[in-house]
Each structure stands twice: as structure tokens, then as C-alpha cells.
Amino acid sequence: MGVCGKTPEIANLQDLLIYQLKGIACYGKAMLDNGKEIDKEVIHLIENGLFTTLTNVNFDDGAHIQLLREAQSVKENIRSQAPEGIYPEVALYNLSDTKESMLKDAVKAGIMYDQDLDADIRSLRSTILYGLKGISAYGHQARFLGYNSEQVDSHYIIGLEAIVNDNFTVEELIRMTMRTGQISIEVMRVLDEANTTVYENPTPNKVNVSVKKGPFIIVSGHDLKDLDMLLQQTEKKGIHIYTHGEMLPSHGYPGLKKYKHLVGNYGSAWQNQQKEFDNIPGCILMTTNCLMRPRETYKDRIFTTNVVGWEGIRHVRVKEDGTKDFSEVIEKALELGGFEKNEEKKEILVGFGHNATLSHAEDIVKAVKEGKIKHFFVIGGCDGARPGRNYYTELATIIPKDCIILTLACGKYRFNKLDFGTVAGLPRLLDVGQCNDVYSAVRIATALADAFDTDVNALPLTIVLSWYEQKAVADLLALLSLGINRMFLGPSLPAFISPNVLQYLIDTFQLTPISIPEEDLKTSLRQHV
């Protein structure tokens, strides 16, 4: 069993699915090299396939087998269109008929199948693949809102082909890794454009984190459009809607917070869901990744949508017109009755995306020049449940009071209910948003660098990332592709980074594993004296 809880069977089916996508990409790359267009059906399949294999997304073997068969159909179609040539085994492979045969075939798709492969080649191939998986999550969200990037769509194919191309050297794979980081920036830009165009730029907003009496539905994950459709369908039905996990930042978007029955945020981070959802008298809708094995005490009231799935859990599918019918979720929530009484109201502050934060740019620059703000810390990333992740809380609490903390992704749940006060008239803790809002942090940092007529690396800025899964890899590659130095990464380093690749990152970008909060804080402040 892996850390995310996938069975060996699911893990093997996912390996085979990635194997199929790599084969499709070989034909796709040949077509791109010959100036031929790739059908969007191919891109959709690749994007959905990559996203399905992301950490904590889909645990349903039936869904994987269906995707594998769809991939075979797409492969046969693109194979017939591709120019003649010599293609690798991964492209020539054809899916077996039965699940048992598929599982036998999956052996050759395993990451360690080629025992003689150079460790650094394997490491860089894995890094590119995990970056692509993270990109696919953001691309999927943007596409659902009607936005996409041709650069991103092409890179799914270019990146996947690169990691099976035996002609690629270590140096060429390093360049492809950095290119994947650039594409990560591009997909986050597109998703930011999609979210802020459809729902407007986030603005600071106090979010209730206590429960209210009455029926309710908790929406977890990342997908704003799912939340929007559910809010529309539950309006005036006496149902309260709560966000959970990475859905918290949605309370900053004017297009969503206008709904009066979006009453607050329930619980905390994804890794606490089994405890927080235990026997609750309401429904849960999982929109994207971060699903854990549902306990029997709430298995009858949790629903999935998009590419998320668990065997035996009811799934809400998208209709041909792009809408979804959440009536089954709504009826179940009304049947369960909800919370019996109100809790005392408590609130936290969200909504400091790049637009809102940079509206205070003049005040921030002035405060820095006057010495009122000494340093900026970005503390974020994809959090997990393992011991040692309290580092981020300890760091946040000892940061001097003349510093500002920007936080994003689910890592903020370690400390976002603490009172950090204000500095120079601004809240010291600024919630920038979801994991993809690394883009907002970059926009903020770049604007400040411009204001001080310098570059980001010369700013009094420290970035501390919590690493957990593939979207964190996409975020890290995005920052590295921009040439940002001296970042801290922890609590443990990714297992797929070989010693030589790690040394390259340290030498090139001064990437530093976290140590203890007090020492890392001293190092950060000393670097920017």
C-alpha cells in the first residue's frame, strides 16, 4: 500500500494507463514534428488520464479500466494518422482484453521495470511526469471553465514523449524539466484568468469557521465551477453550503460569495477528512483530488465528481451540455437534517490574491523603505499527515512581528486560525489562495521587485514549500523555471530525486532541505540583511 492508500492493483492499473498515454504521445509528437494538428479528443484523454493518476484522486478500478479502453481507442486512431516510422514498444503496445491480462501487462509499465536505466535519467523522467500530472489538474480546472492554452496542450505530448525517448541525455532532460516548469506557470496563468474572469478577482473576506443549524453540503477539492453549480441548485432550498480544504479560498471570489447560503468553511485540511466527516449529519461532495478512503460512517453520504472516484461511491457525471445534476446530493442532505444547533461564530480572513494584495503595493513599498516591514515569507504547499509537518506552524509562529506571511494551498491549515495581528496597517497573514495561486505569489513578488528596481532574488523574501504530491512538483518546477533561489523544501525530500539531481538543484538554485525552524529563520533573515 502506498502512502496515499492505493491498492497495488490500482497502482498497477495507473502505471499501465500512464504507459498508454506515453504511447499515444509518441504518435502525437511525430504528428507535431510534421506540422499536423492533434485532435482535442487526444488532449482531453491525456489530461484526464494524467489527472486520474494524481495522488488521492481515483481509487475505482472500473474507472481505470474504462479509461484504459478509451486510451486504446484514441491510440488506434492517432496511430492511423501518424507518419510512418520506427516507434518504441510503448507506442506499439495494444491493451489486453481482460483486467487480469492488463495487470500482467502492467509489470512492464512500472517505474523500476528497467533496472539498468541510469538513476539520474530515471529521476528526471519521474520529475517531468509528476510535473505533468500537476499541470493536468490545473489544466482540467481551467478547461471546465472554458479556458485552455495551446502551449500546455502541446506540452502534454512533448513532455510524455521525452520521458520514453532513449536519445534524451541528462542535460536535455534537465532542459525539459525546466520547460515543464515554464508550462506550469502558463497553466496557472490560464487558470487564474479563468477563475478571475468568471468569478472576478478575490477580495478580502472574513469566513465563518463554525457550524450553523440546518441541512448542509460540504464541498471539498478545488473546482470552483462545481461549487458554483451546486450553489445555484441549492438556492432557497434551506441548505447551507460549506467549503472544506482547498475550497476555502472560494469565499474571496465575488461571483461565489454573493450566495448567502455559502455560510462558511467546515473542518481543516484534506488529511483530517476521515475524522472530520465521521458520522456527520450532512453530505460531502469531492470535486478534485484529496479523497481518502471513506469510512462506513459516512460512505452513504459522500459523492464524487470529475475524475475523482472510489468503488461503491456515487458519482455525479457531467452532462453533454456541460452541466451537472446535484439533485441526489441535495435530497440526501435534506433527508439527513443537518446540524442541530449553531456554534459560536469564529472567522478567518481570506482573499489576498495578487489583485487584492497589489492594491496595497504603495503602502507595502513605503513600509519596507521605512523599516516597518522587514521581510516576506511565503509558506505553502501540499500538506500531509506524517509527523514532522508541525515545522511549518512552528516557523510561522516565531517569524518576527515586522514580517508578512503569505500562505497558500492546504499547508496553511497548520496555522491559519492563529492570530498573527497586523503590521503597517496590513494583516500579517495573507491567504493568497489555492496551490495554483503560487502564480499570485509570483505576481506579487515580481511587482515588488519592479517597485524596488531589483529582481525577486534580491527581495527580502523567503519561500518555504511543503512537499506532498504532484501539484507541489508542478509548483516547485514553476518557481525554479523563473530562476528563484534559496527556497526551503521539506519535510522530507521527494524520493524520486536522485543524489546527483539533488546536487544540481542545490548548486544551481541553492535549494535547501528544511532543518529546524529557528535555524532556517536565522538563515533567511541573514541572507537579506
Side-chain angles (χ1 to χ4, degrees):
M1 295 286 283
V3 66
C4 66
K6 290 189 174 79
T7 64
E9 187 174 90
I10 293 294
N12 288 338
L13 289 173
Q14 292 194 347
D15 285 347
L16 191 59
L17 178 56
I18 293 296
Y19 193 74
Q20 281 281 63
L21 301 183
K22 291 174 181 176
I24 291 168
C26 292
Y27 295 115
K29 179 64 163 53
M31 290 178 65
L32 289 176
D33 290 345
N34 281 268
K36 293 186 177 182
E37 286 191 14
I38 307 294
D39 194 297
K40 286 303 176 186
E41 176 196 24
V42 177
I43 303 301
H44 292 170
L45 185 280
I46 291 176
E47 189 170 74
N48 286 347
L50 286 168
F51 192 9
T52 298
T53 65
L54 198 79
T55 311
N56 291 92
V57 172
N58 197 301
F59 302 77
D60 185 349
D61 60 353
H64 286 86
I65 290 168
Q66 180 181 340
L67 256 177
L68 279 162
R69 287 174 175 154
E70 288 176 12
Q72 179 63 30
S73 175
V74 167
K75 179 188 270 189
E76 290 171 5
N77 190 33
I78 197 171
R79 183 185 283 157
S80 68
Q81 300 175 45
E84 292 186 6
I86 300 173
Y87 291 96
E89 181 184 359
V90 67
L92 301 176
Y93 168 77
N94 289 311
L95 187 70
S96 297
D97 292 334
T98 66
K99 176 179 163 183
E100 291 71 25
S101 298
M102 292 178 196
L103 289 171
K104 288 179 182 178
D105 291 349
V107 174
K108 71 177 72 175
I111 191 170
M112 299 301 293
Y113 179 66
D114 183 358
Q115 294 288 330
D116 298 326
L117 185 65
D118 179 83
D120 299 329
I121 295 283
R122 192 193 315 276
S123 178
L124 289 164
R125 285 179 174 183
S126 297
T127 304
I128 293 166
L129 175 60
Y130 299 147
L132 288 170
K133 288 186 180 189
I135 289 167
S136 75
Y138 300 146
H140 184 279
Q141 286 175 254
R143 203 179 304 273
F144 197 29
L145 287 167
Y147 289 74
N148 73 289
S149 162
E150 292 300 326
Q151 286 184 61
V152 175
D153 291 355
S154 296
H155 192 72
Y156 287 140
I157 289 170
I158 294 168
L160 283 169
E161 191 274 339
I163 59 181
V164 294
N165 191 326
D166 291 332
N167 294 322
F168 269 70
T169 63
V170 167
E171 291 73 21
E172 288 170 323
L173 284 173
I174 287 173
R175 286 196 289 273
M176 185 61 68
T177 303
M178 291 301 104
R179 177 58 181 161
T180 301
Q182 294 168 356
I183 293 299
S184 183
I185 287 287
E186 169 66 6
V187 77
M188 287 190 280
R189 180 196 67 77
V190 172
L191 181 52
D192 179 80
E193 180 186 0
N195 286 339
T196 57
T197 301
V198 177
Y199 301 113
E200 302 177 51
N201 278 294
T203 57
N205 187 34
K206 288 184 177 180
V207 181
N208 166 52
V209 292
S210 305
V211 303
K212 301 184 73 172
K213 180 181 178 180
F216 66 91
I217 299 170
I218 296 167
V219 185
S220 192
H222 306 76
D223 207 303
L224 302 187
K225 186 173 181 180
D226 283 320
L227 176 61
D228 184 22
M229 288 189 291
L230 181 65
L231 285 165
Q232 291 178 38
Q233 292 177 37
T234 51
E235 202 164 20
K236 297 180 181 179
K237 291 192 175 180
I239 295 177
H240 295 140
I241 304 298
Y242 298 89
T243 56
H244 174 268
E246 285 245 57
M247 273 295 193
L248 169 63
S250 60
H251 291 269
Y253 289 90
L256 296 171
K257 65 182 179 181
K258 68 182 181 182
Y259 293 99
K260 302 301 181 186
H261 62 301
L262 180 61
V263 297
N265 189 77
Y266 178 83
S268 54
W270 70 271
Q271 72 269 17
N272 299 321
Q273 65 187 261
Q274 290 176 323
K275 178 177 67 176
E276 292 173 350
F277 296 164
D278 189 27
N279 209 30
I280 56 170
C283 290
I284 310 110
L285 175 66
M286 301 298 298
T287 66
T288 50
N289 62 309
C290 300
L291 174 65
M292 297 177 74
R293 174 188 289 274
R295 291 181 176 175
E296 292 300 322
T297 55
Y298 62 88
K299 200 171 183 179
D300 66 328
R301 58 201 67 181
I302 186 169
F303 297 78
T304 60
T305 191
N306 297 324
V307 299
V308 189
W310 193 288
E311 190 173 0
I313 299 299
R314 285 168 290 184
H315 188 79
V316 180
R317 301 190 180 280
V318 63
K319 297 191 288 188
E320 287 187 9
D321 63 0
T323 63
K324 297 180 182 180
D325 181 1
F326 292 109
S327 57
E328 191 176 4
V329 189
I330 293 168
E331 290 167 9
K332 184 67 176 178
L334 291 170
E335 174 194 324
L336 289 166
F339 295 116
E340 295 182 354
K341 59 181 180 180
N342 295 330
E343 287 182 346
E344 181 182 350
K345 191 173 185 180
K346 297 178 183 177
E347 294 178 322
I348 56 176
L349 191 61
V350 303
F352 287 93
H354 57 85
N355 185 270
T357 301
L358 291 177
S359 68
H360 299 282
E362 287 187 17
D363 295 333
I364 293 171
V365 170
K366 181 181 177 185
V368 172
K369 288 181 176 178
E370 293 176 350
K372 293 178 182 177
I373 297 176
K374 294 288 180 62
H375 205 91
F376 299 88
F377 288 83
V378 176
I379 305 178
C382 297
D383 204 7
R386 285 185 171 183
R389 304 189 86 94
N390 54 338
Y391 166 94
Y392 302 93
T393 305
E394 292 175 10
L395 177 64
T397 55
I398 64 172
I399 286 173
K401 297 190 184 302
D402 55 5
C403 302
I404 283 180
I405 303 168
L406 299 136
T407 188
L408 52 94
C410 53
K412 63 174 167 269
Y413 277 104
R414 295 285 173 177
F415 50 83
N416 70 338
K417 292 181 182 177
L418 302 177
D419 184 4
F420 287 90
T422 61
V423 58
L426 292 168
R428 284 189 58 229
L429 182 68
L430 302 179
D431 187 336
V432 178
Q434 296 181 340
C435 48
N436 51 282
D437 289 309
V438 162
Y439 177 75
S440 268
V442 168
R443 287 280 300 271
I444 293 166
T446 304
L448 290 175
D450 289 344
F452 288 107
D453 195 24
T454 186
D455 64 25
V456 171
N457 288 322
L459 287 173
L461 168 71
T462 298
I463 298 176
V464 186
L465 294 180
S466 168
W467 177 83
Y468 181 70
E469 49 85 78
Q470 293 94 333
K471 282 191 287 185
V473 177
D475 295 347
L476 175 61
L477 294 182
L479 295 168
L480 294 178
S481 75
L482 294 171
I484 295 177
N485 294 336
R486 296 192 296 268
M487 291 185 287
F488 290 86
L489 183 66
S492 57
L493 292 175
F496 52 85
I497 298 292
S498 68
N500 287 336
V501 172
L502 175 61
Q503 194 59 49
Y504 170 81
L505 295 174
I506 291 171
D507 293 343
T508 308
F509 301 103
Q510 299 165 54
L511 188 67
T512 305
I514 63 171
S515 58
I516 60 173
E518 291 80 6
E519 291 303 316
D520 291 345
L521 177 62
K522 288 178 186 177
T523 300
S524 299
L525 296 175
R526 188 168 57 243
Q527 286 173 340
H528 295 281
V529 172

